[in-house]
DNA sequence: CAAAATATTGAACATTGCTCAATTTGTCAA
DNA sequence: TTGACAAATTGAGCAATGTTCAATATTTTG
C-alpha cells in the first residue's frame, strides 16, 4: 500500500518533471521572441519531444501559455515578498520592482494582455488564474494600505495595478524606441505613479505655490 | 486636362469608396467577436468581394486592422473635442468619456493591446499610428494642464493615459464577469483615477484625520 | 515473461494568411 | 461601335499553423 503510493508519487513526480521540461523549453523560446509566433513544432524540438507528447501534457497551447504565465505571477509575488522582510515595501519600491520585472520578462506582460484581451478560457483555467493573481494583488493592497489615506484600499490597489500594467501596455515595444529607452521611460512613469498614489507627493505639496 | 483630372479624382473616390466598404464590413465583424478570430474569408464574404480584392486594397491584414484602429482613435478624439466647447473637459469627464468609449468599442482597446504587445509594424504604419495618437494625447495633456499642479504635464498625461488603458487591460473581459459588471467596475476605477490625478481629492483632503 | 496499461510519435487533417495566373471589367482612340 | 490596351477582380492553390489519433514503443503488473 505504502509502496504503491510511493510509486504513484514517483510517477507523478516523473510526469511533473517531464512537464517542467516542456515548460522550460517553451519559456526559453518565449523569452527570445514574441510568444505568439512560437509554434508547437518549435517547442517540441526545443524540448526534445514530439508534438503529440506536448498535447499529452497540455490540452492545447493556451494551457501551456497559462502555465508559463502563472509561473511568472508567482515569481514576481516572491520577489515582492523577499523585499519586504521588514513591513510591506513602500509604494515607490513596489512600483519599481514590478515595472522592472515586466521589462525583464516581456512574456509576462505580453501574456497578460493576451489573456485579458482575447480570453477564450476554460472555467478551470480561470480558477487557476484567479488563485495565483490574488496573492499578487494582496501585496499591492498591503502597500496601498500602508499609505494610509485611502478609504477603499482594495479598489485603489486595483487602480494602481491597472496604472502599472497600462504603462507597459502603452509604452513597451513602443515603435521606434530601443529597449533601453523603453525601460527608462517606463521606470520613470512608474515612479510618477508611485508619487501620485503615495502620500509624500512633492507635486501636491507644492500646490498653488508654483503654478497659481 | 481638367476632365482628365476630374476622372482621376472620381476614380480615386470610387477606389476609396470600395476600400471603405471593406473597412466597414470588417469593422462590423470585429465588433461582433474577438477581431483576432475574424478571417480574411469572413471579411471577403461580409464585404461581398473576394479574398484577392481585399489584398488589392491592403497589403496584409495588419494594415486593415490599423486602418480600423486609426478610425477609432480619431473618433474618440472627436468625442473629446465635442465635449469641450467651453475649455478643456475636466479630468473626471475625460476619464469617464474615454473608459466609456473603450467599453463600447472593445475592438479599439483590443487592437491597442495587439499592436503594443506584438508589433511587427512597418515604418509607414508606425508613422500613421503616431500621427493619429498625438492629437488624442494632446487632449489629455490639456486636461492635465488644466489641473495646474504638475511640473511635467506631458509625462503626467502619459501616466494618466497608461492608467486608463491599464484599467481596461486589467479588467475588461475579466473572466467570469458580465459585460455590465465590467463596465461598472472600470467606470468606477476611471473615476478613482480622475480623483487621484485631479486636484480636488477628497481622499487627500481627509488625510490624517480618518486613518491615522 | 506475457499481457495489460500507459506514453510517445509523427503523418494526416482542417484552417489559416497570402499569392498570382486567369478572367472580367473599364477606358479611349480610331 | 469597335477593339486593343490597362486595371481590377477572382478564387484555386501554397506553405504554415494547431490539433488529432492510429500505430508504435515503453512501463507496469500479475
Amino acid at each position: 500500500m505504502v509502496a504503491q503510493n510511493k510509486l504513484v508519487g514517483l510517477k507523478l513526480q516523473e510526469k511533473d518533471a517531464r512537464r517542467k521540461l516542456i515548460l522550460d523549453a517553451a519559456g526559453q523560446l518565449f523569452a527570445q521572441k514574441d510568444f505568439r509566433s512560437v509554434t508547437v513544432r518549435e517547442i517540441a524540438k526545443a524540448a526534445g519531444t514530439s508534438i503529440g507528447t506536448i498535447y499529452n501534457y497540455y490540452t492545447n497551447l493556451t494551457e501551456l501559455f497559462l502555465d508559463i504565465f502563472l509561473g511568472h505571477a508567482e515569481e514576481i509575488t516572491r520577489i515582492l515578498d523577499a523585499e519586504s522582510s521588514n513591513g510591506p515595501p513602500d509604494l515607490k519600491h513596489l512600483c519599481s520592482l514590478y515595472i522592472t520585472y515586466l521589462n525583464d520578462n516581456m512574456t509576462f506582460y505580453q501574456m497578460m494582455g493576451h489573456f485579458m484581451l482575447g480570453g477564450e478560457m476554460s472555467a478551470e483555467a480561470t480558477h487557476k488564474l484567479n488563485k495565483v493573481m490574488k496573492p499578487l494583488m494582496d501585496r499591492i493592497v498591503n502597500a496601498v494600505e500602508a499609505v494610509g489615506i485611502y478609504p477603499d484600499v482594495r479598489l485603489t490597489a486595483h487602480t494602481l495595478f491597472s496604472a502599472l500594467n497600462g504603462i507597459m501596455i502603452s509604452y513597451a515595444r513602443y515603435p521606434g524606441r530601443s529597449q533601453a529607452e523603453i525601460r527608462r521611460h517606463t521606470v520613470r512613469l512608474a515612479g510618477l505613479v508611485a508619487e501620485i498614489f503615495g502620500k509624500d507627493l512633492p507635486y501636491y505639496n507644492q500646490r498653488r505655490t508654483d503654478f497659481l
Side-chain angles (χ1 to χ4, degrees), chain A residues 19 23 57-60 62-71 73-74 115 121-135:
Chain A
R19 167 179 267 123
L23 205 64
Y57 288 92
Y58 294 97
T59 58
N60 52 43
T62 303
E63 295 282 327
L64 175 56
F65 293 163
L66 186 66
D67 217 355
I68 298 261
F69 180 75
L70 296 184
E74 285 169 351
F115 286 129
M121 273 175 57
S122 68
E124 190 192 1
T126 299
H127 180 254
K128 277 205 287 184
L129 188 115
N130 285 339
K131 193 169 174 184
V132 171
M133 289 308 273
K134 187 175 180 307

Side-chain angles (χ1 to χ4, degrees), chain A residues 30-205:
Chain A
F30 296 162
Q32 285 165 26
K33 58 176 177 171
D34 182 358
F35 84 96
R36 290 173 301 178
S37 69
V38 175
T39 70
V40 211
R41 286 160 180 82
E42 276 181 285
I43 299 173
K45 185 173 243 177
T49 74
S50 70
I51 300 172
T53 298
I54 288 178
Y55 283 93
N56 202 6
Y57 288 92
Y58 294 97
T59 58
N60 52 43
L61 274 196
T62 303
E63 295 282 327
L64 175 56
F65 293 163
L66 186 66
D67 217 355
I68 298 261
F69 180 75
L70 296 184
H72 279 296
E74 285 169 351
E75 190 183 11
I76 176 65
T77 305
R78 275 198 305 275
I79 289 177
L80 292 182
D81 280 347
E83 296 282 331
S84 64
S85 50
N86 38 0
D90 62 311
L91 232 50
K92 203 157 183 95
H93 203 174
L94 179 135
C95 292
S96 164
L97 284 173
Y98 185 70
I99 227 68
T100 300
Y101 185 82
L102 291 190
N103 268 288
D104 290 336
N105 302 84
M106 296 283 197
T107 332
F108 180 58
Y109 95 91
Q110 270 193 337
M111 286 185 175
M112 177 133 50
H114 178 80
F115 286 129
M116 299 312 179
L117 258 48
E120 76 286 340
M121 273 175 57
S122 68
E124 190 192 1
T126 299
H127 180 254
K128 277 205 287 184
L129 188 115
N130 285 339
K131 193 169 174 184
V132 171
M133 289 308 273
K134 187 175 180 307
L136 175 55
M137 182 57 75
D138 285 343
R139 305 307 186 277
I140 302 175
V141 166
N142 286 342
V144 168
E145 193 149 39
V147 176
I149 58 171
Y150 293 105
D152 194 330
V153 175
R154 191 137 211 116
L155 197 70
T156 310
H158 278 209
T159 312
L160 175 60
F161 183 60
S162 298
L164 291 174
N165 289 331
I167 287 175
M168 288 306 285
I169 297 294
S170 305
Y171 298 104
R173 301 232 176 171
Y174 196 77
R177 305 266 183 277
S178 79
Q179 195 146 328
E181 284 173 315
I182 285 169
R183 175 183 294 263
R184 203 177 325 121
H185 189 59
T186 54
V187 166
R188 200 160 158 224
L189 289 181
L192 191 51
V193 162
E195 281 191 10
I196 290 174
F197 278 77
K199 66 175 168 183
D200 296 324
L201 300 174
Y203 296 157
Y204 286 107
N205 291 341

